[in-house]
Amino acid sequence: MSRSNDDAPIIRPARPEDAAILAQLVNDAGEGLPLHLWEKIATAGQSGWDVGKERAAREEGSFSYRNAKVIEFGGKAAGTLIDYGIPDDPEPVPPDMPAMFVPLQELENLAPGTWYVNVVAVLPQYRGLGLGSHLLAFAEATATQLGKSGMSLIVADNNTGARRLYERQGYAQTGSRPIVKDDWKTEGRNWILMTKPI
């Protein structure tokens, strides 16, 4: 938990009731790709957002509230962080992995042993308050406690605002792969791997 005074942002474990906000934030961080994929697996009478909320509320799975932290500002959920360690010796990309995910996995594998920021996102009305920097600092503190030697994250090349934030925090581009779009509409052309030694 993080609290320095009564006015400071608070970082806490996510809860099931955060599911709707988590779905929104994960979609924002994923440049709209999560919603695109959720819509593909939605059943009759179900929206893509319904799928995202269900997945966020799960007890297990990579996208589960149990793997997320929420930053509160003024007593309200304002952003999220999902982070984890990349193994020192990552598994090769499976041959049956969907093509859209291959470049992302290839980039993750280029940062073995780092602490990976999978999602860092803040709701639009809370941007510009330093909450993204606060979340990144929290992730870095976790990595330091765990003895990791570096940080890593992936961002789309057209997300200039996020890239500037990461550069201000000491991240630098160390790899890129073309975005596989299939029928997903995005202005991005490449996924960018950014890393930072700690």
Side-chain angles (χ1 to χ4, degrees):
M1 301 286 211
S2 173
R3 183 205 294 260
S4 57
N5 60 54
D6 290 343
D7 297 322
I10 297 168
I11 296 177
R12 61 163 173 83
R15 301 187 285 253
E17 57 266 31
D18 296 316
I21 288 174
L22 290 174
Q24 178 183 344
L25 289 164
V26 165
N27 186 62
D28 287 351
E31 309 286 335
L33 179 58
L35 181 60
H36 173 76
L37 298 171
W38 297 336
E39 288 172 342
K40 285 181 172 293
I41 61 176
T43 56
Q46 194 179 41
S47 72
W49 288 116
D50 292 334
V51 174
K53 286 184 283 188
E54 280 184 7
R55 294 173 79 84
R58 295 180 302 179
E59 295 295 320
E60 298 178 347
S62 57
F63 177 37
S64 159
Y65 77 92
R66 288 192 174 277
N67 296 330
K69 292 107 182 162
V70 165
I71 189 166
E72 290 187 353
F73 188 79
K76 295 184 178 180
T80 193
L81 170 70
I82 300 175
D83 52 351
Y84 52 81
I86 296 178
D88 292 335
D89 187 17
E91 294 287 328
V93 178
D96 60 346
M97 177 173 279
M100 293 181 85
F101 299 120
V102 169
L104 294 165
Q105 189 62 58
E106 287 178 347
L107 289 173
E108 271 194 47
N109 288 359
L110 291 177
T114 60
W115 191 250
Y116 180 64
V117 178
N118 180 255
V119 174
V120 60
V122 174
L123 292 171
Q125 63 268 37
Y126 294 105
R127 291 176 190 160
L129 300 173
L131 301 185
S133 297
H134 200 76
L135 287 166
L136 288 170
F138 186 89
E140 190 171 323
T142 301
T144 300
Q145 289 171 2
L146 294 172
K148 297 294 182 180
S149 61
M151 305 292 297
S152 59
L153 55 82
I154 297 171
V155 63
D157 59 356
N158 63 313
N159 192 344
T160 53
R163 289 176 68 186
R164 281 197 299 269
L165 168 63
Y166 304 145
E167 286 166 358
R168 286 197 304 269
Q169 297 294 318
Y171 288 80
Q173 179 175 334
T174 51
S176 69
R177 291 288 187 278
I179 294 173
V180 177
K181 300 183 180 184
D182 290 340
D183 57 347
W184 173 45
K185 293 177 175 58
T186 177
E187 295 178 7
R189 300 180 62 187
N190 294 287
W191 293 117
I192 306 297
L193 173 68
M194 302 184 76
T195 60
K196 173 185 179 178
I198 55 174

